[in-house]
Amino acid sequence: QEIDETLLEDIGILITASSVCGAIASALGQPILLGYLIGGSVIGPGCLGLIQQFVQVETLAQLGATFLLFGLGCEFSVSNLVRVRRVAILGGILQILVVIGISCLAGTSIAGMSVSSSCFLGCVLAMSSTTMVVKGLMETNEINTAAGKITVGILVMQDICLAIMLAVMPVVSAGGSIERMFMIVLIKLLVMACIILVCRWIWPVCLRALQGSKSQDLFLLGVVTLCVVMTMMTEKVLNSAEVGAFLSGMLINTAPRDLSSKAVHLFEPVRDIFAALFFSSIGMLINPAFLVKQAIAVSILVVGVLIGKVLILTPLVIGLGSDVPGVNLE
């Protein structure tokens, strides 16, 4: 059986580019994440084109997003989500609705787009990259602050809403009724709730069994297995692997402190390596020539989204986050 040497070379190039550009970014006092993105862009098809099996590398790198959110869930307890539930649920939903509404209004009246296209664009603009934000919060050590907890709560709510959107899109495209869409969403949420309840009992039991093996390798392999199993289930039910990875990590967090701490300690190197691959693979999608050619349009869109989300989320967080411990609204 032949080894796919091309894929190994591509992974080696990607890791090397991530290491070099990440080190340069760190030396210049910039976020390492920026170095990963630039490294991926340099070796990607839009620049040097050194990656030959782009799809295979990108698929492997997707584990980085899964592992990053799983690691976050391991350190983010259910009580943290409960504390920010009002601002996360209401704030997250209202932010999505406001962005979609503004997009529909601007798209139909200014850009001459159809209502459906404007709504779709609004759905895209309303979402944020959970992995990007979480990595940024980790690098600045703000993940456990009140602002970090609120941010993670809103991001999780966005991911859940995205999963619901993906679930109803086939029904909408087929001209299904509102009742059918409601039933599909309800059934999926009920199935997911049952899975979580069952796994909340199973996960700690599995960790205790792995602890009894006295093997750190087996313990780490078991932790990765728990992450992948939950990810596969949520991918089937909610079309969202990210939500499953985060939930699986939170279930690990419900285990006794010594077991959850051991899981986090052993899993961190795996998480960081695959996270670097993931962000570099995102960089491979960046085409420098396109950015230069469409610099004005891209700049207007980026600045507009940034300013718009700040103006939308700031009053929502101030109005709904007053009961979160540690939040200073001044």
Side-chain angles (χ1 to χ4, degrees):
Q1 188 176 6
E2 296 183 0
I3 298 176
D4 192 344
E5 295 182 356
T6 304
L7 179 60
L8 295 177
E9 291 175 2
D10 289 344
I11 295 175
I13 292 172
L14 187 61
I15 293 176
T16 302
S18 302
S19 302
V20 172
C21 292
I24 294 174
S26 179
L28 296 176
Q30 300 300 313
I32 298 178
L33 176 59
L34 179 61
Y36 293 159
L37 294 174
I38 294 176
S41 178
V42 169
I43 64 175
C47 197
L48 299 180
L50 299 180
I51 302 299
Q52 302 179 49
Q53 296 191 5
F54 181 79
V55 176
Q56 288 86 337
V57 172
E58 188 179 26
T59 301
L60 179 64
Q62 288 298 320
L63 286 173
T66 301
F67 289 163
L68 186 64
L69 292 175
F70 175 73
L72 172 64
C74 289
E75 303 178 25
F76 203 85
S77 64
V78 177
S79 60
N80 287 335
L81 276 184
V82 172
R83 291 192 188 100
V84 300
R85 62 187 182 279
R86 189 172 71 163
V87 63
I89 297 174
L90 294 179
I93 293 176
L94 288 175
Q95 177 256 325
I96 292 173
L97 294 177
V98 171
V99 172
I100 293 176
I102 294 175
S103 177
C104 288
L105 182 62
T108 54
S109 60
I110 299 176
M113 300 170 62
S114 64
V115 176
S116 59
S117 298
S118 300
C119 287
F120 179 78
L121 178 61
C123 291
V124 174
L125 296 178
M127 299 300 155
S128 304
S129 174
T130 305
T131 50
M132 291 283 188
V133 177
V134 166
K135 184 64 175 177
L137 291 173
M138 286 181 172
E139 288 190 358
T140 56
N141 295 319
E142 296 182 14
I143 195 70
N144 290 317
T145 63
K149 293 173 182 177
I150 290 175
T151 301
V152 172
I154 292 176
L155 290 171
V156 171
M157 195 65 227
Q158 287 184 356
D159 287 340
I160 293 174
C161 290
L162 176 61
I164 293 175
M165 292 177 190
L166 294 175
V168 301
M169 279 179 61
V171 182
V172 174
S173 61
S177 62
I178 297 179
E179 291 80 6
R180 186 183 176 192
M181 286 189 291
F182 177 78
M183 287 302 300
I184 289 177
V185 172
L186 181 61
I187 291 173
K188 286 179 176 290
L189 292 178
L190 288 175
V191 171
M192 199 65 237
C194 293
I195 292 175
I196 294 174
L197 290 175
V198 173
C199 291
R200 185 171 184 178
W201 174 78
I202 294 177
W203 262 224
V205 173
C206 292
L207 288 180
R208 292 190 190 95
L210 293 169
Q211 176 74 353
S213 67
K214 307 298 182 181
S215 170
Q216 290 193 345
D217 293 341
L218 186 58
F219 190 92
L220 175 59
L221 183 61
V223 169
V224 174
T225 301
L226 295 178
C227 171
V228 173
V229 168
M230 177 63 83
T231 300
M232 292 171 59
M233 288 190 290
T234 54
E235 179 67 31
K236 294 292 185 181
V237 178
L238 296 179
N239 300 313
S240 177
E242 290 78 11
V243 172
F246 182 75
L247 289 175
S248 184
M250 290 187 66
L251 293 174
I252 294 287
N253 190 272
T254 61
R257 191 63 184 172
D258 60 327
L259 296 180
S260 61
S261 297
K262 182 178 180 180
V264 172
H265 175 71
L266 294 177
F267 188 74
E268 278 183 349
V270 179
R271 178 198 67 190
D272 293 340
I273 291 175
F274 278 94
L277 291 177
F278 170 74
F279 291 120
S280 296
S281 71
I282 295 297
M284 290 192 297
L285 300 175
I286 301 175
N287 189 331
F290 174 82
L291 292 180
V292 172
K293 184 178 180 180
Q294 302 292 338
I296 296 178
V298 172
S299 299
I300 292 174
L301 182 61
V302 171
V303 173
V305 171
L306 287 176
I307 295 177
K309 285 198 171 185
V310 169
L311 294 177
I312 293 170
L313 279 171
T314 299
L316 290 176
V317 172
I318 291 176
L320 299 172
S322 58
D323 60 338
V324 180
V327 175
N328 183 8
L329 301 179
E330 295 182 359

